[in-house]
Amino acid sequence: EDQVTQSPEALRLQEGESSSLNCSYTVSGLRGLFWYRQDPGKGPEFLFTLYSAGEEKEKERLKATLTKKESFLHITAPKPEDSATYLCAVRTGNQFYFGTGTSLTVIP
Amino acid sequence: DTGVSQNPRHKITKRGQNVTFRCDPISEHNRLYWYRQTLGQGPEFLTYFQNEAQLEKSRLLSDRFSAERPKGSFSTLEIQRTEQGDSAMYLCASSFTGPLVDEQYFGPGTRLTVT
């Protein structure tokens, strides 16, 4: 059964305190792994797509990496405006499976 | 604003009534997706269109749910005989075909409350 698991469920960081979010997956025929940011009451906002193990992508304070079984979203020196829920999703065929997300709170 | 738009933003209905939601994708996008999201959960895939063709439907999509995308432009999602378990945020997303095919852009969602 295709499955996406994110950890931790919630994370509180002090401003400037770097950390990583985890997304582990078991799918048949991975066609891409995606990271999104979601603010309360809004639709998810696309961040990254990763296609193959070893691939890395960066955007401002965020860096996403991919292995054969999991992906990490590294947040370097976070700011309060980085507070949001971060969602991971995988594509298999033409279906997309999302995890339940990590709720990140960055305290000034 | 040229993003994905959804209407209505909120809908309250009584159990047993039918409801219809509309999604207008980004104009140059030919792929359109519908998802359902409940509190504390990630979006759950419902269905996917490429142009006007519905190419994928989730096994979880019961026969009370139907989606259309006439002429490959806007899309509608209809729920017949609503149940309280249908209460959720219904999200629409669109994307290109090509190198950026997997960059889905989401709308703000339609929040459905079934009483």
Side-chain angles (χ1 to χ4, degrees):
Chain A
E1 180 183 339
D2 297 327
Q3 193 168 351
V4 179
T5 304
Q6 292 188 245
S7 62
E9 290 186 7
L11 182 63
R12 289 172 64 90
L13 298 174
Q14 291 291 330
E15 184 173 1
E17 179 187 3
S18 301
S19 188
S20 296
L21 313 182
N22 178 262
C23 171
S24 62
Y25 61 91
T26 52
V27 295
S28 53
L30 180 73
R31 294 184 63 182
L33 184 139
F34 315 91
W35 284 98
Y36 289 85
R37 167 192 172 129
Q38 187 171 29
D39 293 300
K42 296 188 176 182
E45 175 189 345
F46 173 82
L47 294 174
F48 302 110
T49 305
L50 302 166
Y51 289 105
S52 56
E55 190 174 358
E56 299 182 351
K57 288 192 177 173
E58 287 188 68
K59 178 181 179 180
E60 297 179 354
R61 296 177 292 282
L62 300 176
K63 178 180 178 179
T65 62
L66 180 64
T67 72
K68 288 186 177 180
K69 293 185 178 181
E70 58 190 349
S71 176
F72 293 93
L73 184 66
H74 308 278
I75 303 177
T76 301
K79 298 181 178 181
E81 54 262 41
D82 295 323
S83 296
T85 295
Y86 290 84
L87 295 164
C88 166
V90 297
R91 178 182 178 184
T92 173
N94 284 319
Q95 297 216 15
F96 293 78
Y97 297 92
F98 279 79
T100 55
T102 293
S103 176
L104 174 66
T105 302
V106 182
I107 304 162
Chain B
D1 190 314
T2 57
V4 178
S5 62
Q6 293 187 244
N7 288 287
R9 295 292 310 277
H10 303 273
K11 179 70 177 179
I12 300 174
T13 191
K14 292 184 177 181
R15 184 165 52 94
Q17 298 295 305
N18 298 344
V19 293
T20 300
F21 310 138
R22 176 179 170 126
C23 170
D24 287 273
I26 294 172
S27 58
E28 56 267 37
H29 287 184
N30 64 339
R31 295 189 175 201
L32 187 146
Y33 310 80
W34 283 100
Y35 294 85
R36 176 174 62 192
Q37 186 175 26
T38 54
L39 196 62
Q41 301 297 312
E44 175 187 33
F45 173 83
L46 295 178
T47 190
Y48 149 67
F49 291 84
Q50 180 155 319
N51 299 313
E52 65 275 12
Q54 188 173 20
L55 297 186
E56 193 79 47
K57 288 175 64 174
S58 168
R59 293 186 301 275
L60 301 173
L61 201 65
S62 80
D63 56 7
R64 297 184 299 105
F65 287 72
S66 63
E68 294 182 341
R69 193 182 182 199
K71 302 179 182 178
S73 56
F74 71 92
S75 176
T76 58
L77 178 69
E78 181 183 17
I79 309 174
Q80 297 182 327
R81 305 180 303 281
T82 53
E83 302 173 355
Q84 287 189 323
D86 296 331
S87 295
M89 176 76 84
Y90 289 83
L91 293 164
C92 174
S94 68
S95 71
F96 288 106
T97 296
L100 302 178
V101 63
D102 289 324
E103 287 190 23
Q104 294 186 29
Y105 293 83
F106 281 81
T110 294
R111 181 166 297 283
L112 173 66
T113 303
V114 182
T115 62

